[in-house]
Each structure stands twice: as C-alpha cells, then as structure tokens.
Amino acid sequence: MDLISVIVPVYNALATLPRCAKSILTQSHSRLELILVDDGSADGSGGLCDALALADERVRVIHQKNGGVSTARNAGLAAAAGRWVVFVDADDALAPHALESALAAQQANPDRLVVWPFACQPEALPQTACCEGEAFGVEKTGWMYLDCCLSMPWNKLFDRQQIEAAALRFDPEYSLGEDLLFCLAYCRAFFSLGGAGFFKLREPQTFYETAENENSLTQRYRPDFCNLWMRLFGRLTADCEQAFHCPAADLTAIRHSWVCTIADGVQDILARGEGGKADRKARARAVLSWPETAALCNALKAAGRFSPLAWAMHRRSPALVARLWKLRENRPDLYGKLEAIGQRFSRPARF
C-alpha cells in the first residue's frame, strides 16, 4: 500500500483535535503518517499533539511559532514522506474509508486529480468504502470551482511528487484565498504534464465544520477583503480562460460570483469599517471606482448576464449595493425576482 501523508495544521484546536485525529488514525487504509503542525497554540493543543505521537508511532509533531495556516501546511509538506498528500483541518474529520476510497479512485484514474464533496454533518459521511464517481475534463475546472470542489485543499488527493517537482507551497502573504491559489497552481502543473482532468467521488469523504470560532478569519473585518478577492478572482478567471479553456457559461457564472463577493466586501466596509460614516462611504466608493470593478461589470454586461448588484456597482453607489446585498441575504426570493426581471430586459449593451 502507498504511504499517505496526512497534514493537519493545529492552532488552539484542543476541543476538536481528538475527533480529527481519531478519524485519521482509524482509517481503513492504515499505511499513513499523520503530521500535526502545532502553530503556536496557547490552549494546550501542542501537548495533545505530543500525547498522540506517544500513543501512535505514525504520528509526527512539528512545533513552530504562530505563522498562520500556510506556514503550518508548508512545514508539513517539507516533512512529508508519503507518495500522496491529504490535508485535513483540525476541526474537521474524515470518513472511515476516505483514504482507501480516494486511493482506489486514483489507481483507477491515474491521469486525473481525485476530489470529493464534503458533508456539513458528521452523520452524513459514508461508513463503507466507495470509489464510484464521475470523470471531468480540464475544461470543467471552472465548474469545479462553482461546485465547491476546487477552492479548498482538504478534499483532494495530491501527488507529492508533482508538488515537489513544481515547487508548490502555500503563499503565507495571503491569509485569505491561499487555498485557491495553491489548488490552481497544482492544477496548472498537473494538467500541463498530461493530466486529463478530475475524478469526483460520489460520496463525501470530509466532514467540514461550519461552526465558526473566535479564531476564525471569516469573523473578522478585513480591510483588504476586496483587494484580495479582486486578485484571487483575477487569477481564477485568467487560468480558467487561458490555461483550462473553460466554456463561456462557466466564466460568466464565476464573474457573477465575483460580483457578489465584492458587493459583500463593500457592504462590510459600510457596516464594520474603521472611521466615521463618511470615511467608510469614501472607501466603499473607492472600491466601486477601481478600473478592475468597471472591467468586471463590463464583462458581465458583455455576456448578457444581468445582476442587480453589478447594476448598482456600475453606478458606484455603496448604499445601493448594501441594500441590494441585504435583500439578497434576507429575501432571496425577492432578489431572484428582481434579477429575473432585469435579465428579461437585459442586452449585451446595457444592464
């Protein structure tokens, strides 16, 4: 059996790490190494890592100063010895046969990147091995993003030889979206060497914990949120268009998602940004005045896709963007009707 390196970054995860580690160490595919990277935890998680290593020789522990999840994963990659790499977050868990299922799918589809869906409830994970799924070509990379299978590293079986050959690492300069950049870089490298696309397992193999804690980056106000996502979506759309040759419909759907993300950032500036109301409004309007924002809205318009949020962004109205965002969040039925009406009358030359 091939050795699989399972890398788990650990930061103040004392409450969830036992469940996570147990789900890995009891895998039906037992030839694995569990690399726990204690990223400067202050709650005793580091001691728990050491205790797990004493109890099971397959566990290796790395202690480091707090540097963020990217540096922790990079430390795990540097220490990994397995033929394959799987990432797991410390508050998540694997299905009992996840590694067995992923490896069997890989062996049956050696020229494809094996990915799998995730479950938001642990009881939704399968209790038996299942390597059934569906193959997708390289041109479906954009669709994989839209299907919530591309952005994250914890639902994929990575070839460590490919990672090392391409010198791939997570970018510690990003505290948001670093997962997507890594996965895109891996896909570019893998597909450039003859990879035929993806193989998506039918059953979820990872339990993804959706409950946020006080350490979650998603709970904090991010003054660089819009700037980061402009760069991330720019990389995504460029790769999907130029490297993966995704169909126009998928590119349009990604740009629509891009608009919604920037609108989220604009309303968050107004709601939680630093300074007074006038300062927040000025910063939000600055985002709407970026050339990248105009280019995004124009691309969506050229594709004939109407978006109320893009319509408001095109008019550089932060207040209108915020109102429409709240409508989309609180009354998706009404927002959907507004979008449908606008789409009915939209033309490539107008919103």
Side-chain angles (χ1 to χ4, degrees):
M1 292 190 295
D2 287 344
L3 178 66
I4 300 178
S5 297
V6 183
I7 299 173
V8 180
V10 179
Y11 179 70
N12 291 350
L14 192 61
T16 59
L17 183 57
R19 176 187 64 191
C20 174
K22 181 180 179 180
S23 77
I24 296 167
L25 295 173
T26 57
Q27 284 288 304
S28 58
H29 179 93
S30 59
R31 189 159 188 261
L32 60 87
E33 61 172 1
L34 171 55
I35 302 175
L36 301 173
V37 185
D38 171 30
D39 190 38
S41 298
D43 68 341
S45 295
L48 177 56
C49 291
D50 291 335
L52 289 166
L54 288 173
D56 194 316
E57 63 181 6
R58 296 175 298 169
V59 180
R60 300 164 61 192
V61 181
I62 299 172
H63 296 284
Q64 65 177 34
K65 293 182 179 179
N66 179 246
V69 66
S70 289
T71 62
R73 288 181 177 142
N74 289 343
L77 283 173
R83 174 69 175 81
W84 306 96
V85 172
V86 170
F87 294 98
V88 181
D89 286 349
D91 54 352
D92 297 344
L94 293 179
H97 301 270
L99 301 184
E100 176 188 351
S101 299
L103 192 56
Q106 177 63 50
Q107 291 170 345
N109 301 271
D111 59 346
R112 298 183 184 275
L113 170 59
V114 174
V115 305
W116 52 85
F118 60 89
C120 294
Q121 298 294 332
E123 56 269 20
L125 294 177
Q127 299 302 303
T128 58
C130 178
C131 61
E132 296 178 1
E134 186 175 358
F136 297 92
V138 174
E139 75 283 354
K140 299 300 289 183
T141 303
W143 181 85
M144 282 289 167
Y145 172 82
L146 297 167
D147 196 41
C148 298
C149 284
L150 180 67
S151 299
M152 62 288 287
W154 41 257
N155 71 329
K156 298 173 179 67
L157 183 68
F158 291 102
D159 184 335
R160 192 172 68 86
Q161 293 180 356
Q162 296 268 10
I163 291 175
E164 296 305 320
L168 300 181
R169 291 296 187 267
F170 291 87
D171 189 343
E173 295 299 317
Y174 283 79
S175 58
L176 180 71
E178 71 284 352
D179 294 355
L180 174 61
L181 292 177
F182 179 87
C183 293
L184 283 172
Y186 183 88
C187 286
R188 291 196 303 271
F190 182 65
F191 297 152
S192 69
L193 295 175
F198 304 86
F199 185 84
K200 181 184 175 184
L201 290 169
R202 185 185 66 194
E203 300 283 352
Q205 302 298 328
T206 298
F207 161 60
Y208 173 61
E209 177 61 76
T210 56
E212 295 177 347
N213 56 55
E214 61 182 5
N215 299 312
S216 174
L217 288 172
T218 58
Q219 284 196 337
R220 309 174 194 171
Y221 170 69
R222 293 293 307 262
D224 58 349
F225 179 91
C226 290
N227 181 55
L228 283 176
W229 275 112
M230 274 293 185
R231 292 157 63 186
L232 291 166
F233 270 108
R235 177 76 269 171
L236 173 63
T237 53
D239 280 354
C240 285
E241 192 167 20
Q242 300 167 18
F244 309 137
H245 307 293
C246 300
D250 290 349
L251 288 166
T252 298
I254 289 172
R255 290 188 173 102
H256 183 262
S257 177
W258 187 352
V259 162
C260 293
T261 301
I262 299 303
D264 183 16
V266 167
Q267 68 84 26
D268 203 31
I269 292 173
L270 295 178
R272 299 194 296 169
E274 300 173 351
K277 182 177 180 181
D279 290 336
R280 297 196 301 271
K281 185 176 180 181
R283 284 199 299 274
R285 182 174 285 113
V287 172
L288 300 181
S289 301
W290 288 347
E292 297 89 345
T293 306
L296 170 61
C297 293
N298 288 335
L300 206 61
K301 178 172 63 175
R305 174 67 184 268
F306 177 79
S307 163
L309 287 170
W311 176 82
M313 290 166 64
H314 186 68
R315 281 152 181 78
R316 301 181 182 179
S317 173
L320 185 55
V321 169
R323 285 197 292 269
L324 286 169
W325 174 260
K326 291 178 181 177
L327 179 66
R328 182 176 181 269
E329 289 293 291
N330 301 325
R331 291 297 306 273
D333 55 331
L334 292 182
Y335 183 87
K337 290 180 180 178
L338 181 62
E339 194 168 40
I341 292 172
Q343 186 64 46
R344 186 181 306 168
F345 295 101
S346 69
R347 297 290 186 273
R350 55 175 292 184
F351 279 103

